[in-house]
Amino acid sequence: MPPSHPPQTIRIGLVAGEPIRLEGLTMVFEEKPTPGKTHLVPTIGTIQELLANPAVEYLVVDLNSASGGFDTVEAVKRSRPGMRQIVIGPENEDELVLSSIVAGARAYLDSSAPPETVRQAIEIVVSGSIWAPRRLLSKLIDRLLHVPDTSVPTEPLSLTARERQVLELILTARSNREIARELGIEERTVKAHVGRLMRKAGAENRIELSMRALAGALPPDPSPQN
């Protein structure tokens, strides 16, 4: 039998001011990785220690107890712009969700989210996508891509309505098959939309497409839409 390779280990920094909330976050990582899955390891320390640790590329920030609150998210982006943040905060705060993601967060969860949901969100972020309430994705794309209004014919990105729908689902780590099922179209049609999106973004794969979209780096398409 071929030798088994240990799962990749990724360290996740935890930022929470209250010991009980920190303990709750640590419980998220008690699940042992299944074969082929990434091993997520919690790393505890002050925000300064975590930012100074090059092995920590992901950070869970609990806005309810982290010293500095939302300012912590912005400070992390300034200090370590490549660090992916998972933010936990109050419910029904749409503007805070959008502001957090614009400020560098790659996931936003309500404070009432169970451990398995937090774990799933972290895995989604590690895979290169984002986790956010579905109702906010269209608004999020508008803000990050600087699209003022999809009804305006002079939209700079020239994205069709269907391309926007596909992009929203790509950002939630959906596969082509899942996107096709969600939109009620053929899988080959999804592949064609993804291909056009990647060409517009100058991206070589879906993860790069997601990152360019989140960074507001999708260039305008000079060719007219049919």
Side-chain angles (χ1 to χ4, degrees), residues 1-31:
M1 294 180 62
S4 59
H5 298 284
Q8 179 187 8
T9 297
I10 292 182
R11 298 191 176 279
I12 312 291
L14 304 181
V15 179
E18 301 172 9
I20 189 170
R21 297 189 69 86
L22 191 59
E23 182 178 350
L25 287 175
T26 304
M27 291 175 57
V28 171
F29 301 90
E30 291 181 349
E31 176 186 344

Side-chain angles (χ1 to χ4, degrees), residues 9-184:
T9 297
I10 292 182
R11 298 191 176 279
I12 312 291
L14 304 181
V15 179
E18 301 172 9
I20 189 170
R21 297 189 69 86
L22 191 59
E23 182 178 350
L25 287 175
T26 304
M27 291 175 57
V28 171
F29 301 90
E30 291 181 349
E31 176 186 344
K32 293 183 178 180
T34 56
K37 294 196 69 174
T38 301
H39 185 202
L40 303 179
V41 177
T43 301
I44 299 173
T46 66
I47 185 65
Q48 292 79 12
E49 291 170 340
L50 294 172
L51 290 176
N53 187 344
V56 176
E57 298 180 359
Y58 300 86
L59 199 65
V60 177
V61 180
D62 187 343
L63 295 182
N64 298 285
S65 63
S67 175
F70 178 71
D71 290 342
T72 300
V73 179
E74 294 185 311
V76 171
K77 183 178 182 180
R78 289 193 298 270
S79 179
R80 292 272 304 273
M83 180 174 276
R84 312 278 174 78
Q85 300 183 68
I86 295 92
V87 172
I88 300 175
E91 300 181 45
N92 302 318
E93 294 284 348
D94 290 1
E95 190 61 30
L96 179 58
V97 176
L98 294 172
S99 298
S100 296
I101 294 179
V102 170
R106 289 296 173 261
Y108 187 100
L109 298 109
D110 294 337
S111 301
S112 59
E116 57 270 19
T117 300
V118 177
R119 171 84 184 205
Q120 186 178 5
I122 293 172
E123 291 176 345
I124 288 291
V125 171
V126 169
S127 75
S129 295
I130 70 168
W131 176 288
R134 290 290 305 279
R135 70 182 184 279
L136 296 179
L137 284 176
S138 181
K139 188 185 297 185
L140 172 63
I141 291 174
D142 282 345
R143 176 172 297 194
L144 293 175
L145 304 185
H146 309 291
V147 181
D149 187 343
T150 57
S151 64
V152 178
T154 56
E155 178 181 344
L157 293 178
S158 298
L159 294 180
T160 67
R162 183 65 83 189
E163 286 171 346
R164 288 174 58 82
Q165 290 176 323
V166 171
L167 180 56
E168 289 177 14
L169 294 171
I170 288 174
L171 291 174
T172 59
R174 304 292 186 89
S175 67
N176 285 350
R177 179 174 298 179
E178 291 171 329
I179 294 174
R181 187 182 307 117
E182 177 83 12
L183 300 180

